[in-house]
Amino acid sequence: MKIEYTKVGDYYLPNLDYPEEARPIGCWGMLRKEYLKAHKSGTYTYLLLTARLDSYLADLNEQSQEHFELIEAQMRSAEGVTEKLKRQNPMEWVRHCNNIRNRAAEIIKQELIYV
């Protein structure tokens, strides 16, 4: 591995090449990033310096989104929030769906984000 340097004033600084992540970090990844910055600065710095932060956050975002959708579907079926309810009483259906989404988001935050 060859390291190239650029002269800046009297100093030679290494030309660091940081690989870009093609996958989106998403909302779950951004929440985790802010948590790492605030509460786990050593882990955040290590991932940043080893150029693995973006791929870690993208992986976490994908895992969190899949888990969120699974929990949401399980809660909907357990509580009987169906298309029939949507046709009969749309506002009640929206209330139930919002409640389920908020609870599922709290579960994801506690299990995967704020750990």
Side-chain angles (χ1 to χ4, degrees), residues 43-111:
T43 303
Y44 175 77
T45 304
Y46 172 75
L47 289 170
L48 186 63
L49 292 175
T50 57
R52 290 190 277 177
L53 180 64
D54 288 347
S55 64
Y56 168 78
L57 294 174
D59 289 341
L60 183 99
N61 184 60
E62 290 172 1
Q63 180 184 5
S64 298
Q65 189 61 36
E66 289 172 8
H67 197 58
F68 175 78
E69 290 168 1
L70 177 66
I71 290 172
E72 186 179 25
Q74 289 174 344
M75 285 182 169
R76 281 186 184 189
S77 66
E79 296 177 17
V81 179
T82 61
E83 290 297 316
K84 183 179 178 185
L85 178 63
K86 185 178 180 179
R87 285 190 303 274
Q88 291 174 347
N89 192 348
M91 291 306 290
E92 185 71 15
W93 180 82
V94 168
R95 185 179 68 81
H96 280 295
C97 287
N98 286 341
N99 188 347
I100 289 170
R101 287 183 67 83
N102 289 335
R103 286 186 289 149
E106 286 300 316
I107 290 170
I108 297 299
K109 288 175 185 175
Q110 291 302 316
E111 289 182 357

